[in-house]
């Protein structure tokens, strides 16, 4: 048994994850290459390796010729006399196996054989690394920051290095060498120099994968992340849905005392995360997406993928968000183009009148708010639901019909023709005792 060769193959298989069969094939090819360099040709050379003992045999198949004078090519032919020394049963015309001693190879042939084995090992190592990280494509891995290459960052992922380009870095994040970070694998390419791995810190899927690793309910499928919108380094909105009515999807993602979401926020260096409930009703979904702003009314058009939203005057800036961020993320999260107006703006905006929507086929709005047809306590229906507005004619109608200017009432504040009412004094009521009063 060739113990040294066996041990070498075991080490390569364990450390490089290269199968022994591949290494055996590399050794066979290397011996064939050595024979070709030594003899000039190797068409008739065969190599046999015992997979159990690692013993190998190299031989050439030669045709037996009657005499030495008949041998035209010593590499392919052998005389009967020489063949009888190998096998006493040899006859003219037979094919006989002539063993080749690999120790007799020259230095150049040996070096070439060595290079063939090393090249095969390198190729297999690259292939193993490529397959390993290709399976992790579109997933999150932990890496160690190595060095800055200009504006790019080299990150060691264990057996391979990845490149975090400037465009995939979060603005404001700074990493020091040896710092451990989580990155999202965008793409794995196989190149002659080995696998090229591109990673990202800005991709929305990074947040999704972090939630999957942190929240057990998402990992086992009880809670599903329906949609996600992200502005890296600033804020992320995710919409979650529970397949189990007894499981609160938002609560599962937040965790006890915010432990789960805080772990993700720490990994994202303080990026804010809004977790909202998913709803198949676009009106409810848009209202949830615009949180924490309070919504007066939402009118969504599923066909056009547009929505018009009315918010209280004091909530307009909160609904829009800093530089429009809240509205922008809500639009990405829901897939709707959202037009937000305050109550005052909606009153005067053409095409934004309440009756325009109530006349359309919004059955769920009409059914839910038909009880408000007569108007609320203030002369118009109060909004108490999530999907629509109270059924009134318009803000203009409210101003014209229910509110009267002070001039319409006269000096006493009454309509013309209305007499001022004075309550009569109770004549039987006891009068104050003047003397007692003085005392």
């Amino acid at each position: 048994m060739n113990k040294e060769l066996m041990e070498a193959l075991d080490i390569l298989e364990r450390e490089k994850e290269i199968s022994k069969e591949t290494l055996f094939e590399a050794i066979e090819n290397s011996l064939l290459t050595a024979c070709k360099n030594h003899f000039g040709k190797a068409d008739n050379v065969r190599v046999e390796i015992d997979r159990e003992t690692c013993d190998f045999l190299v031989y050439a198949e030669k045709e037996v010729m009657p005499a030495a004078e008949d041998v035209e090519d010593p590499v392919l032919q052998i005389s009967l006399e020489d063949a009888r020394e190998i096998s006493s049963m040899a006859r003219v015309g037979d094919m006989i196996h002539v063993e080749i001693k690999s120790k007799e190879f020259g230095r150049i042939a040996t070096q070439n054989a060595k290079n063939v084995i090393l090249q095969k090992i390198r190729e297999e190592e690259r292939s193993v690394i490529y397959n390993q990280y290709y399976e992790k494509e579109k997933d999150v891995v932990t890496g160690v920051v190595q060095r800055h290459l200009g504006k790019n960052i080299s990150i060691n992922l264990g057996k391979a290095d990845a490149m975090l380009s400037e465009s995939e870095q979060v603005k404001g994040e700074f990493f020091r060498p040896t710092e451990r970070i989580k990155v999202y694998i965008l793409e794995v390419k196989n190149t002659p120099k080995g696998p090229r791995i591109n990673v990202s810190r800005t991709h929305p899927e990074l947040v999704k994968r972090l939630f999957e690793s942190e929240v057990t309910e998402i990992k086992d499928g009880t809670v599903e992340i329906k949609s996600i919108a992200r502005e890296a380094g600033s804020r992320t909105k995710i919409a979650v849905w529970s397949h189990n009515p007894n499981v609160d999807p938002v609560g599962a993602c937040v965790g006890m005392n915010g432990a789960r979401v805080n772990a993700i926020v720490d990994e994202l260096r303080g990026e804010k995360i809004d977790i909202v409930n998913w709803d198949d009703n676009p009106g409810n979904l848009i209202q949830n997406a615009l949180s924490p702003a309070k919504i007066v009314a939402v009118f969504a058009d599923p066909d056009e993928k547009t929505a018009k939203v009315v918010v209280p005057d004091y909530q307009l800036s909160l609904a829009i968000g800093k530089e429009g961020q809240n509205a922008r993320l809500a639009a990405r999260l829901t897939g709707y183009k959202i037009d937000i107006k305050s109550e005052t703006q909606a009153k005067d905006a053409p095409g934004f009148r309440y009756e325009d929507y109530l006349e359309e086929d919004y059955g769920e709005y009409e059914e839910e708010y038909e009880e408000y047809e007569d108007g609320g306590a203030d002369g118009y229906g109060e909004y108490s639901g999530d999907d629509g507005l109270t059924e009134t004619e318009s803000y203009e109608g409210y101003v014209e019909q229910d509110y009267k200017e002070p001039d319409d009432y006269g000096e006493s504040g009454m309509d013309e023709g209305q007499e001022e009412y004075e309550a009569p004094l109770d004549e039987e009521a006891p009068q104050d005792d003047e003397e007692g009063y003085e005392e």
Side-chain angles (χ1 to χ4, degrees):
M1 179 181 292
N2 195 333
K3 291 185 178 181
E4 293 182 357
L5 180 58
M6 178 70 76
E7 291 175 357
L9 295 180
D10 288 338
I11 292 173
L12 285 172
E13 185 178 37
R14 184 171 58 254
E15 294 184 355
K16 304 291 187 180
E17 298 183 5
I18 303 175
S19 66
K20 283 185 179 180
E21 185 61 33
T22 301
L23 295 172
F24 283 132
E25 293 176 1
I27 294 172
E28 291 175 356
N29 292 333
S30 68
L31 291 172
L32 290 174
T33 301
C35 290
K36 186 174 183 179
N37 291 331
H38 186 73
F39 299 110
K41 62 178 68 174
D43 297 338
N44 63 329
V45 177
R46 301 291 181 268
V47 179
E48 294 180 356
I49 300 179
D50 190 326
R51 266 55 171 172
E52 299 296 330
T53 64
C54 288
D55 292 332
F56 63 91
L57 174 66
V58 183
Y59 61 88
E61 293 180 343
K62 295 185 179 182
E63 182 182 0
V64 178
M65 306 300 292
E69 297 80 9
D70 299 324
V71 177
E72 299 178 357
D73 189 346
V75 176
L76 302 177
Q77 299 171 338
I78 188 174
S79 65
L80 179 61
E81 182 180 357
D82 293 338
R84 289 286 173 85
E85 293 179 0
I86 299 173
S87 174
S88 57
M89 303 298 292
R91 296 179 181 180
V92 176
D94 291 348
M95 298 299 294
I96 190 170
H97 293 173
V98 180
E99 184 179 359
I100 299 175
K101 300 294 184 181
S102 59
K103 293 183 179 180
E104 298 176 358
F105 291 159
R107 180 181 62 83
I108 296 177
T110 304
Q111 185 66 32
N112 289 338
K114 176 185 175 182
N115 291 338
V116 169
I117 295 176
L118 293 177
Q119 179 65 22
K120 184 64 175 179
I121 291 175
R122 282 193 292 267
E123 289 177 359
E124 285 301 313
E125 186 177 7
R126 291 171 184 169
S127 178
V128 167
I129 295 174
Y130 170 77
N131 292 332
Q132 179 180 349
Y133 286 98
Y134 183 78
E135 293 175 356
K136 296 182 179 180
E137 196 175 56
K138 312 302 180 185
D139 203 353
V140 172
V141 296
T142 301
V144 179
V145 177
Q146 285 189 316
R147 59 189 178 275
H148 291 265
L149 304 174
K151 294 184 178 181
N152 301 332
I153 302 176
S154 175
I155 299 175
N156 181 263
L157 302 180
K159 295 183 178 181
D161 291 341
M163 186 63 64
L164 181 61
S165 62
E166 181 186 8
S167 60
E168 298 298 335
Q169 298 176 29
V170 176
K171 187 177 181 181
E173 281 190 346
F174 178 78
F175 303 109
R176 296 180 176 85
T178 71
E179 189 174 357
R180 298 179 67 85
I181 61 172
K182 291 185 183 293
V183 292
Y184 178 78
I185 298 180
L186 284 176
E187 185 181 30
V188 181
K189 291 182 179 180
N190 200 4
T191 66
K193 295 183 179 180
R196 179 181 176 85
I197 305 172
N198 296 324
V199 295
S200 172
R201 286 276 296 178
T202 62
H203 202 282
E205 287 291 319
L206 172 63
V207 181
K208 184 176 181 180
R209 299 300 182 190
L210 290 176
F211 269 100
E212 289 176 354
S213 62
E214 192 70 30
V215 181
T216 308
E217 289 80 1
I218 295 179
K219 185 181 297 184
D220 62 22
T222 304
V223 176
E224 179 184 356
I225 297 178
K226 286 283 193 177
S227 180
I228 185 168
R230 184 186 184 201
E231 289 191 357
S234 180
R235 183 179 292 272
T236 295
K237 284 181 179 286
I238 66 170
V240 292
W241 170 264
S242 176
H243 295 280
N244 187 342
N246 297 323
V247 176
D248 177 21
V250 175
C253 294
V254 172
M256 184 174 293
N257 297 325
R260 291 176 171 178
V261 71
N262 285 340
I264 298 173
V265 170
D266 292 341
E267 178 60 39
L268 298 176
R269 307 297 177 94
E271 182 174 317
K272 297 179 179 63
I273 299 178
D274 294 339
I275 306 172
V276 302
N277 283 305
W278 173 269
D279 199 302
D280 292 330
N281 186 309
N284 288 343
L285 177 60
I286 292 171
Q287 175 175 317
N288 295 340
L290 286 171
S291 65
K294 296 180 181 179
I295 308 301
V296 171
V298 177
F299 298 108
D301 186 346
D303 297 328
E304 298 293 333
K305 287 293 181 180
T306 60
K308 296 186 177 182
V309 179
V310 179
V311 300
D313 291 357
Y314 68 95
Q315 291 278 303
L316 180 60
S317 60
L318 182 62
I320 295 175
K322 183 180 180 181
E323 298 178 354
Q325 184 186 70
N326 193 56
R328 189 165 56 249
L329 288 176
R332 294 180 191 171
L333 188 72
T334 60
Y336 278 71
K337 183 179 180 181
I338 301 175
D339 182 13
I340 303 176
K341 291 187 183 296
S342 66
E343 290 180 305
T344 303
Q345 292 173 337
K347 176 187 67 174
D348 301 324
F352 217 97
R353 298 166 64 91
Y354 286 0
E355 67 269 15
D356 292 343
Y357 304 101
L358 294 173
E359 290 173 359
E360 296 179 10
D361 186 18
Y362 289 95
E364 65 271 31
Y365 301 144
E366 293 178 347
E367 291 176 6
E368 185 172 355
Y369 300 107
E370 60 184 358
E371 59 182 303
Y372 297 103
E373 289 180 354
D374 296 332
D378 296 328
Y380 64 101
E382 295 179 355
Y383 172 73
S384 59
D386 295 336
D387 298 330
L389 290 170
T390 58
E391 188 167 348
T392 58
E393 293 186 359
S394 67
Y395 275 123
E396 289 88 340
Y398 159 62
V399 172
E400 294 171 0
Q401 297 174 12
D402 300 310
Y403 179 76
K404 296 183 179 181
E405 297 295 334
D407 293 343
D408 296 336
Y409 293 93
E411 296 179 356
S412 62
M414 297 297 176
D415 289 332
E416 294 182 4
Q418 184 176 3
E419 297 180 358
E420 186 173 352
Y421 174 77
E422 293 183 2
L425 295 175
D426 189 355
E427 297 179 355
E428 298 181 357
Q431 302 296 322
D432 293 336
D433 187 354
E434 295 181 358
E435 294 181 359
Y437 176 77
E438 293 177 355
E439 293 177 357

